[in-house]
Amino acid sequence: DTAVSQTPKYLVTQMGNDKSIKCEQNLGHDTMYWYKQDSKKFLKIMFSYNNKELIINETVPNRFSPKSPDKAHLNLHINSLELGDSAVYFCASSQGQGSDSPLHFGNGTRLTVT
Amino acid sequence: AQSVTQLDSHVSVSEGTPVLLRCNYSSSYSPSLFWYVQHPNKGLQLLLKYTSAATLVKGINGFEAEFKKSETSFHLTKPSAHMSDAAEYFCVVSDRSGANNLFFGTGTRLTVIP
């Protein structure tokens, strides 16, 4: 009964490859997010979707393409992976977009690019 | 612009002694403030939130935080540390511009010594 689940948990791949990370939430939330946590634990938002529509797109290389087939899913596809993409990627969801809406996070996907 | 400064990257306390994790914020708006906890290999979990109601906010697991506008602070406290409190703690400020855009601090690692 995991609320926000993302797969895979670990992903090791070589430079230049294309990979995807999947995220699903069963909380009935309207808004989903992708965050990147670097080696220094710093968390930065990448994308935010509300009811399948993109509402936040921070300065992220266009090699990263989010896709939301429905409001319960937000997948992240990464083309031409680079060493600097190595990080932990967290999916999250919230009810609404307001500043009072706390986030519910998945357990993260640790991406290692070699 | 919004930002958060967590003054200590690492705090170490003995089991049963008080915990103080410091956080100062900067915000152009009347902010919403949050504390999240991250246990190893887990996603972030909401501890507590301040959204312009009572300035002393109580959260889960015995934690609480006090919003002090004059000091632009939102320090996290707990009267008595437990071994299970050992984790990474993030102070977060929210942009009230309409989108749920959170600004994370760099985190404070709490170690609890038996």
Side-chain angles (χ1 to χ4, degrees), chain B residues 48-68:
Chain B
L48 50 80
K49 67 176 183 179
Y50 165 79
T51 56
S52 76
T55 56
L56 181 62
V57 181
K58 293 187 185 299
I60 62 172
N61 300 337
F63 284 94
E64 61 182 39
E66 186 171 7
F67 173 70
K68 292 186 176 180

Side-chain angles (χ1 to χ4, degrees), chain B residues 35-95:
Chain B
W35 276 98
Y36 283 83
V37 60
Q38 184 180 25
H39 290 277
N41 299 315
K42 296 288 187 183
L44 283 76
Q45 179 186 15
L46 180 68
L47 271 180
L48 50 80
K49 67 176 183 179
Y50 165 79
T51 56
S52 76
T55 56
L56 181 62
V57 181
K58 293 187 185 299
I60 62 172
N61 300 337
F63 284 94
E64 61 182 39
E66 186 171 7
F67 173 70
K68 292 186 176 180
K69 186 176 181 179
S70 60
E71 298 176 9
T72 60
S73 69
F74 191 57
H75 300 333
L76 181 70
T77 60
K78 182 173 180 177
S80 176
H82 191 272
M83 294 299 295
S84 62
D85 295 328
E88 192 92 19
Y89 291 80
F90 293 91
C91 183
V92 183
V93 64
S94 175
D95 180 344

